[in-house]
Amino acid sequence: MAKKIGILTAGGDCPGLNAAIRGVAKTAIVEYGMEVIGFSSGFKGLIEKEYMVLDEKSVSGILTLGGTILGTSREKPFKKVNPDDMEEDTKTQQIIDNYNQLGLDCLVCIGGNGTIKNAYKLSQIGLNIIGIPKTIDNDVWGTDRTFGFDSAVAICTDAIDKLHTTGNSHKRIMVIEVMGHNAGWIALYAGIAGGGDVILIPEIEYDLQIIAKYLADRHAKGKPVSIVVAAEGVKHGKKKSPGPYLAKKIEELTGIETRETVLGYIQRGGTPTATDRILATRYGRYAAELIATEQYNQMVAFKDNVIISIPLAETSGKLKVVEPDNKLIKSARALGVCFGDELCKIK
Ligand code: F6P
């Protein structure tokens, strides 16, 4: 009996989502003769039974398309509207009924930590689930890489390149705030790729005095232009966005003209890089194979250049942060990059 599967994309969008949808759907249809539907707007579509049939035609030409043809949302299927209202049920019964009425054999959830966590919970109430790790933040535990990350790093690196030219013209310090709420992977990778002089990530506490001294030192040695790359999740009092705060403080402490750029949602837009297209396609294909062989309740992952699967129970939304002894940090420090802490080299 040919299987029938559902796909949903949830959480923050990113380039590569359509490549993943295409990877699952085309493999399921062409290789395994399955029926495929796609729920709209993440878990919201599953709760409200809003979906579209995905056939070869509907996934044709979407590999290079940014965003997600299914739409996404941050709808939380297990969150009650009034948490203290014991009567109010979560949407789980609707989800179970819809899954069964549609005759699904499996649901593919493509998303970040929150999505993977909800996917695991759905597997615990009886749905067959496959998770595919997606986020520009690259902070899903259990996989070396989420798709969306490479595209975001490419966008940030291009932005930093542009800040070098305008900084050079004005002899300014340029601060760029990049995404990465809980983990500093984008700031770390784009900071190195873009030649950042100071890289600030949530995992390493920074001292403004050390940063100011390092930048003033560079200036005194005839290097007036510096690039500071900061993840949006670095601590700075109660304020939301560290970019403007850091620029103001650095200018006050060093007396050097400093300007900030908050890159924002540009990092989530546009067409996926080739790397993300390939990774998303490999994830999608493998997800379809796991379903065909009834290896449910797994998350596909990328480990040492091989696509594997790990039990959802093992990941269930755990965070993967930049470890303190990360090799890239070591390399950057050897080049004299400052991470705002006491290991920052100030001659
Ligand atoms: O999780 C990806 C991400 O882009 C984070 O880097 C960012 O902090 C968050 O989503 C923004 O969320 P939203 O799109 O809901 O504003």
Side-chain angles (χ1 to χ4, degrees), residues 12-18 66-68 134-136 147-149 267-270:
D13 76 319
C14 72
L17 275 167
N18 287 319
T68 161
K134 155 288 300 174
T135 173
I136 64 167
F147 70 80
F149 174 64
Q267 298 162 84
R268 297 243 297 259

Side-chain angles (χ1 to χ4, degrees), residues 12 74 135-137 179-181 186 232 265 268:
R74 291 195 183 273
T135 173
I136 64 167
D137 294 353
M179 283 185 158
H181 215 56
I186 297 176
E232 63 178 329
Y265 293 87
R268 297 243 297 259

Side-chain angles (χ1 to χ4, degrees), residues 169-187:
S169 306
H170 290 263
K171 303 291 174 276
R172 281 170 170 166
I173 297 171
M174 304 304 283
V175 175
I176 180 169
E177 177 190 315
V178 298
M179 283 185 158
H181 215 56
N182 303 306
W185 294 106
I186 297 176

